Amino acid sequence: MTRLLSIAALVLTQHQAAAQERAIHFPDVAPHQTLIADLHMHTVFSDGSVWPNIRVDEAIRDGLDAIALTDHLEYLPHRHDIPFPDRNRPHEIARTTAGNRPLLVINGSEVTRRMPLGHVNAIFVQDANALVQADSLAVLREANRQGAFVFWNHPNWVAQNPTGLAALTPVHEALIAEGLLHGIEIANEGTFSDEALRIALDNNLAILATSDIHGLVDWQFDVPGGGHRPATLVFASNPSADAVREALMARRTVAYFKHSLIGREDVLVPLLEASLAAAEPQYGLGTSVLSVTLTNRSSAPFTLRNVSGYTLHEHTDLFTVPAYSDVTIKVKTGERLQHVTLTFEVLNALAAPGTHPRLVLELPMQ
């Protein structure tokens, strides 16, 4: 009996460790909380494969703070088996499933049109039924009237854009000019778009990454094998709906895609500074070789290129600090200094197409 209890305790411990390992986490960036959101997903009410409660359970397992169920308004391949007269129903089921658990469930819909509009998500809608209209512009005006946050989905989707090169159309320019379009997906499911990132930066749109999940998250993104769903990091004053919407409208977001972070430099760099810390700088006895421990407090590994002007003793100029891990580097400063500045390019982060942000660590000696 004692052996069986020990085995059960071991299995439970391993299960808890696995749950913690899969949860997406990044430290808060004062004065804001760092919330993890997936704002584009589907259920059986449109073209997904699961009931809304599964989307909630997956989100809890992944440590998400907010989700939006965004079933299609127009594309309903399951309508003969699952009638969809009330377009708010997936949200209601998901919200009930979430109950008192710490997950914000946001009401949303996907406006599904041919180009030049393409697919657009509206979240924080009050009544999705009012969005069932033939005129695309009228739909987006109604969504904005309800206080929705509206973003352009997968602008690089080859089914509507065979080149895969996201580009603004006159329709999208007009939507931005009228204030009807607030964000753009730079990463969707398994694809990333440099061109969409440039559109976001040039037009003051929020930068988003979403799973656009239709099947199961674990299968689609190989979570058991170390993968993760694409997600949007939202820097909000608190986890309420009003605070999350305010942060999205203020463009305080970073996209998390395939263990990379993409965002505006003024938002991205503070996140990197909060995620990676340097400690215990100490010279070796009788040497000018400085040992420094780098601590990663986040779910993302950081691939760093040393551009400090100093060379390293046990690494090349390129090395990785794994998630939730410490790496000690040894820096050859040439002489024993009272203050050392280390500068790294973060190669799995982007502040603009082809532009990696720099992380500067100031190390005063004790």
Side-chain angles (χ1 to χ4, degrees):
M1 178 62 73
T2 301
R3 178 175 173 77
L4 290 175
L5 290 174
S6 297
I7 293 173
L10 177 61
V11 170
L12 178 60
T13 300
Q14 291 174 336
H15 176 75
Q16 291 171 337
Q20 183 177 11
E21 182 178 336
R22 73 172 285 150
I24 301 170
H25 171 77
F26 288 87
D28 293 337
V29 180
H32 298 112
Q33 296 181 28
T34 301
L35 306 179
I36 315 300
D38 188 353
L39 304 176
H40 186 172
M41 55 181 66
H42 296 278
T43 76
V44 293
F45 281 90
S46 61
D47 59 343
S49 301
V50 305
W51 200 252
N53 68 307
I54 300 299
R55 294 289 172 241
V56 171
D57 292 340
E58 289 176 323
I60 295 293
R61 286 164 61 85
D62 283 342
L64 302 192
D65 299 290
I67 61 171
L69 273 60
T70 54
D71 279 308
H72 297 279
L73 291 171
E74 297 85 4
Y75 180 55
L76 305 173
H78 302 163
R79 63 187 179 277
H80 297 302
D81 300 301
I82 302 175
F84 197 14
D86 181 1
R87 304 310 175 89
N88 301 299
R89 185 60 181 151
H91 169 71
E92 293 172 355
I93 296 170
R95 186 179 59 187
T96 300
T97 302
N100 294 324
R101 292 185 286 181
L103 178 69
L104 174 63
V105 181
I106 302 166
N107 198 6
S109 295
E110 182 165 5
V111 181
T112 312
R113 307 296 169 97
R114 295 180 178 180
M115 289 295 283
L117 177 65
H119 293 198
V120 174
N121 270 0
I123 63 173
F124 297 103
V125 297
Q126 303 303 310
D127 180 13
N129 296 308
L131 303 184
V132 183
Q133 302 185 35
D135 185 86
S136 298
L137 184 57
V139 171
L140 297 187
R141 284 175 174 164
E142 171 61 23
N144 275 265
R145 187 194 68 77
Q146 293 186 25
F149 173 81
V150 179
F151 58 95
W152 185 7
N153 299 344
H154 43 66
N156 59 326
W157 186 33
V158 292
Q160 290 191 330
N161 184 352
T163 68
L165 299 170
L168 276 181
T169 70
V171 168
H172 295 97
E173 290 175 344
L175 293 175
I176 293 170
E178 192 175 333
L180 299 179
L181 188 66
H182 315 120
I184 186 171
E185 292 179 346
I186 60 97
N188 171 285
E189 194 177 23
T191 67
F192 168 75
S193 174
D194 275 304
E195 295 77 24
L197 177 57
R198 175 48 59 195
I199 290 170
L201 296 172
D202 290 348
N203 295 275
N204 192 30
L205 298 177
I207 293 168
L208 306 173
T210 69
S211 71
D212 195 0
I213 186 66
H214 290 70
L216 295 174
V217 167
D218 281 35
W219 290 2
Q220 182 69 39
F221 301 108
D222 190 23
V223 177
H228 70 88
R229 74 166 81 201
T232 302
L233 279 56
V234 181
F235 303 94
S237 58
N238 61 69
S240 70
D242 287 344
V244 171
R245 182 185 177 281
E246 184 277 328
L248 289 167
M249 295 298 289
R251 286 48 168 168
R252 292 196 306 273
T253 62
V254 166
Y256 182 43
F257 175 73
K258 294 185 178 180
H259 300 297
S260 292
L261 294 163
I262 307 101
R264 288 178 173 79
E265 188 168 18
D266 63 338
V267 181
L268 179 58
V269 170
L271 174 66
L272 298 175
E273 292 173 342
S275 299
L276 194 66
E280 302 176 3
Q282 186 174 1
Y283 279 107
L285 184 62
T287 77
S288 58
V289 178
L290 180 68
S291 293
V292 182
T293 298
L294 302 178
T295 300
N296 185 350
R297 303 163 175 162
S298 79
S299 290
F302 289 109
T303 302
L304 305 180
R305 185 192 299 280
N306 174 34
V307 292
S308 302
Y310 308 116
T311 56
L312 305 182
H313 195 49
E314 295 182 348
H315 295 82
T316 67
D317 64 341
L318 189 66
F319 62 95
T320 298
V321 185
Y324 305 117
S325 298
D326 296 338
V327 169
T328 297
I329 60 173
K330 294 187 177 181
V331 185
K332 295 176 283 187
T333 61
E335 59 180 314
R336 296 170 76 98
L337 303 173
Q338 294 301 309
H339 186 281
V340 173
T341 301
L342 298 181
T343 305
F344 303 100
E345 282 186 339
V346 186
L347 297 187
N348 63 317
L350 283 175
T355 302
H356 304 291
R358 291 193 169 194
L359 180 63
V360 179
L361 303 176
E362 302 289 350
L363 303 176
M365 299 300 108
Q366 298 296 327

